[in-house]
Amino acid sequence: MTAPEVIDAVQFNADGLVPAIAQQHDSGEVLMMAWMNAESVAETLSTGRVCYWSRSRQALWRKGESSGHEQHLVEMRVDCDGDTLLLLVKQTGPACHTNRRNCFYRAIRDGELVTIAEPEE
C-alpha cells in the first residue's frame, strides 16, 4: 500500500486526527499513545521515523527530536474500524517524557493511584 492508500483507509476524527498506539515490536510492551494526522502518517511511512501531531503545539512532532529517544517504524497496523493505528516500533531510550520506558506507569489499585515503575537511570 502507498501512503495515500493507507490514509484513505484511516477514519480521522473531526479534527483530522487518529489515535496511534506505539508498541515495542519485539516485546509487545505498550509504550505510549499519541495523535497522528494525514501528514504525520505520510511522513512516518516515507521516512520510517515515527512522526506524530502535537495538539498543544499544533505542529508535527518527530518523536525524539529534542530528547534523542526516537521511534523507528517496523510496521503500521490499522484496526478493524480504521479509527486507531498500532505502530510497532523500535524505541531508542525511554518513550515517556518523564524518562520512563513507557507512559503507562500508574495504576489504580484498591481505589488509589499508585506508581508501578521507577524512572530509568
Side-chain angles (χ1 to χ4, degrees):
M1 280 186 132
T2 65
E5 290 172 322
V6 171
I7 291 166
D8 286 345
V10 175
Q11 301 297 312
F12 295 95
N13 68 17
D15 296 322
L17 302 174
V18 63
I21 300 164
Q23 181 179 35
Q24 179 64 30
H25 75 99
D26 53 358
S27 69
E29 178 184 14
V30 176
L31 300 172
M32 58 178 279
M33 179 275 179
W35 296 93
M36 297 180 91
N37 63 7
E39 187 179 359
S40 65
V41 170
E43 180 174 317
T44 298
L45 292 171
S46 69
T47 66
R49 183 170 166 202
V50 179
C51 177
Y52 298 104
W53 175 256
S54 170
R55 294 179 302 162
S56 60
R57 291 178 283 189
Q58 291 292 295
L60 291 176
W61 162 41
R62 291 155 190 94
K63 182 67 175 153
E65 63 191 347
S66 59
S67 69
H69 303 149
E70 298 178 359
Q71 290 178 349
H72 297 275
L73 186 67
V74 174
E75 183 174 284
M76 182 181 289
R77 298 182 184 179
V78 181
D79 80 337
C80 58
D81 296 321
D83 61 1
T84 304
L85 299 177
L86 176 63
L87 309 177
L88 301 180
V89 302
K90 180 179 178 187
Q91 175 70 43
T92 303
C96 186
H97 73 281
T98 65
N99 207 34
R100 290 175 172 86
R101 175 75 187 155
N102 70 64
C103 295
F104 298 96
Y105 60 89
R106 302 185 299 168
I108 309 300
R109 294 188 177 156
D110 298 322
E112 291 187 41
L113 182 64
V114 296
T115 298
I116 58 174
E118 294 300 315
E120 290 188 5
E121 302 273 328

